[in-house]
Amino acid sequence: MLSPKKRTSTEQPSSPEYLQMSLAAAMTLGLKEGLFFRNARLYCLNLLLTYPEGCRANCAYCGLQKSREGAFGEKSFIRVPWPTYDLETIMRETIAHKARLHRVCISMITHSRAVQDTLYLTERFHREVGLPVSILMNPTSMKPSDLQEMKRKGAQMAAVALDLATEDLFDLHRGKGVGGPHRFDQYWEMLSATAEVFGRNKAGCHLIVGMGEREDQMIQRIQKVRDLGARTHLFSFFPEKGSRMAHKKSCPVDQYRRIQLARYLIDFDHCRAEDLEFDDQGRIISFGLKKSEVEQWIDTGRPFMTSGCPGGGMEAACNRPYGDGPASDIRSFPFPLEAQDIALVKQQLGWE
Ligand code: SF4
């Protein structure tokens, strides 16, 4: 077993002895008080490596980007605060609240210690907690052989946050365009290797809608991910305060709904990207199935729920409550939709 680096008492919190966790995770473990809108509950404990030096990358949309001013611990990862706790408290409370949870996810950041610390944490959560473990990997800090090691330490799934649908947009927002270290080819190759090492439906690809891509480009990317045997975990872009893209708006809700619906149909093998039709601006005008079949899927509400790693009989145990939009404009529903939600979604889709 790898052992964590010893720290002196004067050092700032650093992984693996400390981790950040989503506010929803802290509430689920009883470490923070509060209730989510409509009593949304969390089923996957989302954890994030943390280092005093922060993340070495510079992604334009991320609250952790190194060029942003402020101490790393004060920066938020996505939308909501990510408080920091010591690992032993997290382990103890996770074991105590295990019955409420179906998965643990460890998110890497771009740091030289990220792989070694992720392996250590994966082994501990796998062995001591016993819930399925996902790793949201950082290909820039990794080599392909690390995948085998992650699996050997007990990771059940792994995902790559490609985030951008096209190579050009990736370069613009994560690579050369921002002086960042990430390279599209490295991300794609790691995703492909992950699907091979972990197996069909055990690899995931995070993609963000509303980063300047056309709908047809996003659909083609989702199909390419599916063709690897992986699935897409979808997000709607939300402007992070303090990030380079803080001024940019989320995409129109109808765009996100069409992509959610198509993503669901492609990822669960009901249609392929080639079956869809698009207008001259790349917008989806047909989903490649009979209208009555599409409506049946809309009426389940499932395409519009958060997409992520499964667990506990749910298509996505990782439901990240309100992670990509406020409660007043829910983009990814963290709970099953009710009749009024489905009516709203149909209205947003312009479904007649
Ligand atoms: S979908 Fe959730 S559990 Fe899966 S890798 Fe992404 S953040 Fe982690």
Side-chain angles (χ1 to χ4, degrees):
M1 187 175 84
L2 296 166
S3 52
K5 175 182 158 279
K6 291 271 175 288
R7 291 186 318 110
T8 67
S9 59
T10 53
E11 282 180 281
Q12 287 177 293
S14 177
S15 290
E17 295 98 331
Y18 289 83
L19 289 165
Q20 286 181 257
M21 70 170 75
S22 67
L23 179 62
M27 282 161 55
T28 302
L29 297 191
L31 297 168
K32 287 261 186 219
E33 291 197 357
L35 279 178
F36 272 110
F37 179 66
R38 288 177 61 177
N39 283 329
R41 273 187 48 193
L42 179 88
Y43 303 100
C44 173
L45 197 74
N46 299 96
L47 304 168
L48 175 67
L49 297 183
T50 189
Y51 299 100
E53 312 82 26
C55 182
R56 304 280 191 201
N58 215 7
C59 303
Y61 50 94
C62 180
L64 299 184
Q65 61 180 266
K66 74 174 183 317
S67 62
R68 186 182 148 195
E69 287 180 14
F72 182 72
E74 291 163 6
K75 297 176 185 177
S76 78
F77 180 42
I78 41 171
R79 263 197 51 70
V80 286
W82 281 60
T84 305
Y85 295 96
D86 71 274
L87 176 61
E88 301 316 318
T89 300
I90 297 172
M91 296 294 300
R92 189 185 67 236
E93 295 305 324
T94 307
I95 291 165
H97 294 83
K98 186 178 161 181
R100 301 183 58 145
L101 293 164
H102 299 304
R103 182 168 291 278
V104 173
C105 179
I106 302 164
S107 290
M108 296 167 69
I109 60 172
T110 311
H111 192 280
S112 56
R113 289 225 329 259
V115 171
Q116 130 190 25
D117 291 343
T118 300
L119 291 171
Y120 169 76
L121 291 163
T122 300
E123 184 177 43
R124 283 205 59 187
F125 277 96
H126 173 63
R127 190 165 37 85
E128 296 174 41
V129 179
L131 288 167
V133 176
S134 287
I135 302 176
L136 180 54
M137 302 179 299
N138 186 309
T140 303
S141 321
M142 290 173 61
K143 51 189 189 315
S145 59
D146 293 330
L147 289 168
Q148 304 281 0
E149 197 58 10
M150 286 172 173
K151 195 172 175 196
R152 213 172 61 75
K153 295 286 183 195
Q156 192 240 4
M157 291 189 67
V160 168
L162 187 71
D163 290 349
L164 283 308
T166 71
E167 186 168 352
D168 286 351
L169 286 169
F170 186 99
D171 273 351
L172 178 68
H173 294 307
R174 311 194 73 181
K176 295 183 205 97
V178 288
H182 301 320
R183 297 290 169 261
F184 181 88
D185 287 349
Q186 198 177 356
Y187 269 62
W188 190 253
E189 279 157 26
M190 193 62 76
L191 178 63
S192 173
T194 304
E196 275 175 33
V197 169
F198 282 80
R200 189 167 176 80
N201 300 335
K202 294 279 191 303
C205 179
H206 286 202
L207 286 172
I208 306 177
V209 179
M211 301 291 286
E213 78 289 347
R214 288 166 44 132
E215 290 178 33
D216 53 354
Q217 292 174 320
M218 180 56 80
I219 295 306
Q220 279 150 19
R221 179 59 56 197
I222 289 169
Q223 185 65 61
K224 283 185 179 149
V225 171
R226 187 65 196 139
D227 288 344
L228 294 177
R231 286 194 172 121
T232 292
H233 307 154
L234 212 58
F235 298 74
S236 176
F237 168 77
F238 188 88
E240 276 300 329
K241 220 170 134 197
S243 72
R244 277 196 176 86
M245 292 177 77
H247 60 282
K248 194 181 169 316
K249 286 201 171 71
S250 300
C251 69
V253 69
D254 58 307
Q255 177 181 345
Y256 193 59
R257 294 291 176 234
R258 285 191 293 277
I259 298 292
Q260 278 181 304
L261 181 52
R263 191 291 308 176
Y264 188 88
L265 297 175
I266 292 170
D267 267 1
F268 289 91
D269 305 317
H270 301 299
C271 72
R272 292 187 52 86
E274 305 87 88
D275 303 327
L276 273 65
E277 289 172 40
F278 303 91
D279 68 12
D280 57 5
Q281 290 176 62
R283 285 182 302 226
I284 300 167
I285 49 175
S286 156
F287 293 88
L289 295 174
K290 280 195 218 136
K291 196 175 173 204
S292 57
E293 282 178 77
V294 179
E295 183 147 17
Q296 278 175 12
W297 286 115
I298 295 174
D299 285 340
T300 66
R302 279 157 36 193
F304 311 103
M305 291 174 66
T306 311
S307 47
C309 297
M314 289 181 281
E315 281 169 356
C318 178
N319 63 337
R320 313 181 295 274
Y322 314 110
D324 61 358
S328 56
D329 177 22
I330 301 177
R331 295 293 169 113
S332 302
F333 284 81
F335 42 69
L337 281 75
E338 293 176 7
Q340 77 268 17
D341 301 316
I342 291 168
L344 174 67
V345 162
K346 282 186 167 169
Q347 193 191 335
Q348 292 170 332
L349 277 168
W351 192 263
E352 288 164 0

